[in-house]
Amino acid sequence: MSAAEREAIEIFKRDVVEPSMTALVIVDFWAEWCGPCKALTPVLEKVAADFAAKGVKLVKVNVDEQKFVAAQFQIRSIPTVYAIFQGQPVADLTPARTEAQLGQMLDQILRQLPIQGEAQTLAADIAPLLEMGEEVLGSGDAERALSVFTQIAEMAPDDARAISGQARARIALGQADEAEALLAGLPPELAKDPAIQRAQAALALAREAQPVDDLSGLAASVAANPDDHAARFELAGGQMAAGDREGAADSLLEIIRRERDWNEGAARQRLLKLFEVVGLEDPWVSAQRRRLSAVLFT
């Protein structure tokens, strides 16, 4: 092995192998004369910068200057892009040509590897706080929940779950306008997050479900005339506004049982929105879904 080859190996160890012990290193094999390589470079640089906090690093290897290294990887065409972890190729990223494609591949790889970048460390730190916030909000202490979610948002300003928690806590406190302002100011990509969609559903439900001054009187009216679906629908709204999701579900399911297509399926739509607000993975929602299925298919 020549001195130049030994130097090339040492450089590769320093720039790729050693960092890959804890990070995911994207290795881009390229050359000055390669047009497709130059077109791909800004895409790789942008995605690597976006994923830097997640423990991703980009290293470019010029195949003309580092022929020995390129030969070890059996590079026969360029651009060739590999993801390296702990000194070993774990994925061929060459087929990816856009930011979206490359980002998707990296997300999939990072889910499978024990890489601890700043983002992963932060996610681990806020996970128990998010769980606490949801538990506190679920227990009815919206004021404390808002404090918890606000603390998380200060640590991770772009965390959709923290923003969603803030919005839902404000809605529970009767601050729908403040929640709407919070959600309206989000960038489009964040607004599409399922957690934000959950908060949007909660806001829409809060706008629909107006408080009822005399719930007991309305309930008596419905009992006297069980087919008054408009009154029962109003009762469900009042029950939701009062935090009585059990009662609201019962009222909406009864409308569906009696006339499932009443008012263009308004009762079912409101019930599904309630499920989304509570959380589709919540055991209570699973139980209510079974009740809904029983009503619809029997």
Side-chain angles (χ1 to χ4, degrees):
M1 186 182 298
S2 67
E5 290 172 344
R6 284 196 297 272
E7 182 182 3
I9 290 176
E10 288 304 315
I11 292 173
F12 189 79
K13 284 182 179 179
R14 181 197 68 201
D15 293 345
V16 177
V17 177
E18 292 176 4
S20 77
M21 292 298 107
T22 56
L24 185 71
V25 181
I26 301 173
V27 181
D28 173 29
F29 292 92
W30 72 293
E32 287 286 353
W33 47 264
C34 171
C37 298
K38 292 182 178 180
L40 185 60
T41 290
V43 175
L44 291 172
E45 290 177 345
K46 174 65 165 57
V47 173
D50 291 344
F51 278 76
K54 297 181 180 180
V56 175
K57 176 184 178 182
L58 173 64
V59 175
K60 299 178 68 65
V61 175
N62 188 315
V63 296
D64 290 334
E65 296 175 356
Q66 302 184 48
K67 294 179 180 179
F68 183 75
V69 171
Q72 299 305 303
F73 279 86
Q74 299 181 350
I75 303 301
R76 295 183 173 84
S77 64
I78 52 174
T80 293
V81 185
Y82 289 138
I84 309 291
F85 180 62
Q86 295 186 342
Q88 300 295 323
V90 294
D92 183 357
L93 305 179
T94 307
R97 284 292 185 268
T98 67
E99 290 180 25
Q101 292 171 345
L102 191 57
Q104 271 188 335
M105 294 182 75
L106 289 176
D107 278 331
Q108 184 176 6
I109 295 167
L110 291 171
R111 284 195 293 268
Q112 301 173 17
L113 297 175
I115 294 172
Q116 286 299 314
E118 292 178 11
Q120 291 91 334
T121 300
L122 179 60
D125 289 342
I126 67 174
L129 293 174
L130 286 166
E131 184 176 353
M132 178 193 301
E134 293 294 346
E135 288 178 357
V136 172
L137 184 58
S139 72
D141 191 348
E143 191 72 51
R144 183 177 170 219
L146 178 59
S147 176
V148 173
F149 285 121
T150 300
Q151 177 187 348
I152 300 169
E154 290 172 354
M155 298 168 61
D158 295 326
D159 191 284
R161 296 162 300 175
I163 297 169
S164 172
Q166 283 182 297
R168 287 181 288 116
R170 288 196 176 280
I171 292 167
L173 289 168
Q175 302 172 6
D177 290 343
E178 291 84 344
E180 184 173 16
L182 175 64
L183 297 174
L186 299 178
E189 62 275 11
L190 193 56
K192 296 176 184 177
D193 190 281
I196 301 301
Q197 295 297 311
R198 180 182 178 187
Q200 293 283 12
L203 180 61
L205 204 56
R207 297 298 194 194
E208 293 176 11
Q210 298 299 319
V212 174
D213 293 333
D214 185 13
L215 275 177
S216 59
L218 189 57
S221 297
V222 170
N225 184 6
D227 287 325
D228 187 348
H229 302 321
R232 196 184 295 275
F233 193 73
E234 183 183 355
L235 175 63
Q239 289 166 325
M240 283 188 290
D244 180 12
R245 68 183 186 186
E246 293 285 352
D250 289 344
S251 295
L252 295 170
L253 283 166
E254 184 61 18
I255 295 173
I256 297 167
R257 186 184 71 80
R258 289 177 176 274
E259 189 179 342
R260 70 179 60 179
D261 294 325
W262 174 78
N263 197 18
E264 299 182 343
R268 184 179 178 184
Q269 292 172 25
R270 178 173 281 187
L271 184 60
L272 294 177
K273 196 173 292 182
L274 177 60
F275 291 169
E276 187 176 0
V277 172
V278 175
L280 299 181
E281 303 303 319
D282 191 283
W284 182 84
V285 171
S286 298
Q288 302 309 312
R289 279 185 176 279
R290 289 192 292 271
R291 294 180 65 196
L292 176 60
S293 296
V295 169
L296 292 174
F297 300 111
T298 57

